[in-house]
Amino acid sequence: DTGVSQNPRHKITKRGQNVTFRCDPISEHNRLYWYRQTLGQGPEFLTYFQNEAQLEKSRLLSDRFSAERPKGSFSTLEIQRTEQGDSAMYLCASSPRTGETGELFFGEGSRLTVL
Amino acid sequence: GDSVTQMEGPVTLSEEAFLTINCTYTATGYPSLFWYVQYPGEGLQLLLKATKADDKGSNKGFEATYRKETTSFHLEKGSVQVSDSAVYFCALSPDQAGTALIFGKGTTLSVSS
């Protein structure tokens, strides 16, 4: 199965620590999206890339959040100085540039627990 | 801004019952509309979509019709199965430029035999 892969699947950290999540999209997809999902809520858009260009980042929740996609393949989402409110599921999705609008392919997510 | 509102859950049904999950949207342009489903322990996956008014999306016995006049995209299935138990998300894409989907809060469906 060559779907979207996210690692780690679950991360437990102490408040104030930095965490990084990795997303490997479907290989031929050049759009990559990050979402956050909290309990009982739908996915909330954070940022997205087309190849290595970050086209939208104004929705990142604070300046503690940053994302990269240096070679247009995998992406990382880093949260610095984590807070308990950052506890959530972080979802990655990809789509082909020439695909029909809106069909995103999601990974299974990375769950963050901040103690 | 653009938004999606869907009915609160959980929805609990017996097998073979009729399902409706309501979804309405607010958008300034001409969005595309989607239903995504999340089965227990799995990632979100596209269930069906409609890209313009009066289009009907369908898949796995589920249907939804894009109603511009009522700004709605209600999900229906004539006879649910236990395997349909999942969380269902209504979503919109504001434009054709590949910008991100906007999701509703999700509706949990539980089907018992």
Side-chain angles (χ1 to χ4, degrees):
Chain A
D1 187 336
T2 56
V4 177
S5 176
Q6 294 189 243
N7 288 287
R9 295 291 310 281
H10 194 182
K11 178 72 175 178
I12 301 172
T13 192
K14 293 182 179 179
R15 188 177 54 187
Q17 298 296 303
N18 298 344
V19 296
T20 299
F21 300 112
R22 175 177 170 131
C23 172
D24 288 89
I26 294 171
S27 59
E28 63 267 28
H29 288 183
N30 54 15
R31 286 192 175 140
L32 186 150
Y33 303 79
W34 285 101
Y35 283 81
R36 184 179 79 156
Q37 186 176 18
T38 54
L39 196 62
Q41 301 296 315
E44 175 187 12
F45 170 68
L46 297 178
T47 187
Y48 91 103
F49 296 83
Q50 182 162 302
N51 299 313
E52 65 275 12
Q54 191 172 12
L55 298 186
E56 173 61 66
K57 57 182 179 180
S58 64
R59 303 287 190 91
L60 287 167
L61 300 163
S62 78
D63 58 7
R64 298 184 296 106
F65 287 71
S66 64
E68 293 184 340
R69 195 182 183 198
K71 297 182 179 178
S73 57
F74 73 91
S75 176
T76 57
L77 176 70
E78 181 181 19
I79 309 173
Q80 296 182 325
R81 305 181 304 281
T82 53
E83 301 173 356
Q84 288 185 325
D86 297 332
S87 295
M89 180 76 85
Y90 291 86
L91 303 175
C92 177
S94 68
S95 73
R97 178 180 180 184
T98 54
E100 295 185 37
T101 301
E103 184 163 1
L104 302 186
F105 296 78
F106 282 85
E108 294 183 358
S110 293
R111 181 172 297 282
L112 174 64
T113 302
V114 182
L115 302 176
Chain B
D2 294 356
S3 65
V4 173
T5 303
Q6 60 183 107
M7 64 187 284
E8 300 266 339
V11 174
T12 303
L13 295 173
S14 297
E15 209 165 21
E16 299 182 4
F18 184 85
L19 169 70
T20 299
I21 300 178
N22 291 337
C23 171
T24 57
Y25 67 91
T26 301
T28 52
Y30 302 94
S32 296
L33 301 173
F34 306 84
W35 279 100
Y36 277 77
V37 59
Q38 187 169 33
Y39 298 104
E42 298 184 16
L44 281 158
Q45 56 187 276
L46 179 67
L47 179 61
L48 54 83
K49 64 181 180 183
T51 57
K52 60 183 187 297
D54 300 325
D55 272 2
K56 177 185 283 187
S58 61
N59 187 25
K60 300 182 180 180
F62 291 88
E63 293 183 340
T65 300
Y66 188 150
R67 301 285 189 200
K68 191 168 186 293
E69 64 275 13
T70 54
T71 62
S72 65
F73 193 55
H74 305 320
L75 183 67
E76 297 182 336
K77 186 175 186 182
S79 176
V80 294
Q81 305 300 311
V82 172
S83 58
D84 294 326
S85 298
V87 184
Y88 292 82
F89 293 91
C90 187
L92 71 82
S93 177
D95 55 38
Q96 304 299 313
T99 50
L101 293 181
I102 298 168
F103 285 87
K105 291 185 177 181
T107 303
T108 299
L109 170 65
S110 179
V111 181
S112 58
S113 58

